Amino acid sequence: MIILNTLSVLVHVGFIVFMTLLSMNIIRQFTNTTKRMAVLAPAVFVNHGGGPMPLMGDKESAGLTQFLRDEVKKHVNLKELKAIILVTAHWEESKVTISSAEHHDLYFDYYGFPPETYKYRYDAPGDPELAKRIHNSLKSAGIDAKLDPKRGWDHGVFVPMLLINPAADVPIVQISVLKSQDPEDHYKLGEVLYQFRKEGVAVFGSGMSYHNMREFMYGRTRDSVVNKEFDGFLESACTSENEERKKKLLVWDKQPGAREAHPPHAAEHLMPLIVIAGAGGKGQGKRIFKWDLRQVYRLGGYIWKDE
């Protein structure tokens, strides 16, 4: 009887151990599958407007403010993002430079605005580990790059992000554009950044699809949209599949109206769009913003969600 009871206990214990191991294996397999099925984060280009004006209740910026505050979240699920890589027009360097500290103060790179516009805070964390991985990926692709733990986040970062994600709970790594303004180099940068989208890291570009400072200052008397043709070219390029998109954007400056929209040596606000197009993957982009600043300057925003 004692032997039978002992055998019964051993069988019972063995069954429990077997089921425990089986359950652990199922959980492990489920976890690995979940990791493999990480959400593909989007690549997004937004216009950030003039200085802090979208944050000031400026009437001329109302359409842009509404888009950044209310519409972007309809296209981007911020809760799914592990981090945001943000390429900004307001940081030009001779080599790609990557913000790499755990925290970055704000860099108020605008002038002549009310005192309160120099007191904004945006306390999203940085991501030093992600910054290092981006740096290594760029070097492996033959792109000269460096880390920068000191420079503050400029208004190309904090103005749109204060509206897009005021909770500041998604880590950000800011990346510069290149002083060369070479479209091929910027597209290649985007192609390298694409891989991080597979990990749930969104790639944002912050610039302006039209940016001619002389026109902004002296062209107020115009009574029609001045850049319809070039805006149409950008839409055609961005909504094309990858090879056609790349082919078109590499010769953007040869298009009608291109240099009126982005004058020679002053196309830094277009470069983030070219980077984001490069990070878009094979599929077509989608236009998510079409708005006329002062009813004269047409701006466009785009998103890529597919591979």
Side-chain angles (χ1 to χ4, degrees), residues 29-42 77 79-83 133 194-202 305-307:
Q29 291 296 324
F30 176 77
T31 302
N32 290 339
T33 301
T34 302
K35 288 180 179 178
R36 289 195 298 269
M37 295 176 62
V39 174
L40 181 70
N77 188 343
K79 294 180 180 179
E80 291 181 344
L81 301 184
K82 293 182 179 179
R133 292 178 55 230
Y194 165 76
Q195 65 186 290
F196 295 96
R197 293 178 55 203
K198 297 179 181 180
E199 303 175 13
V201 177
K305 284 190 170 184
D306 301 324
E307 294 195 31

Side-chain angles (χ1 to χ4, degrees), residues 54-55 64-65 68-69 73 158-166:
L55 301 175
L64 177 56
T65 299
L68 294 171
R69 184 189 61 219
K73 66 186 67 174
F158 69 81
V159 168
M161 291 312 302
L162 275 167
L163 293 165
I164 292 170
N165 186 31

Side-chain angles (χ1 to χ4, degrees), residues 64-92:
L64 177 56
T65 299
Q66 181 182 9
F67 171 73
L68 294 171
R69 184 189 61 219
D70 303 329
E71 299 299 319
V72 172
K73 66 186 67 174
K74 296 179 181 179
H75 301 280
V76 180
N77 188 343
L78 295 168
K79 294 180 180 179
E80 291 181 344
L81 301 184
K82 293 182 179 179
I84 293 172
I85 298 169
L86 202 154
V87 183
T88 169
H90 285 276
W91 192 9
E92 284 191 284

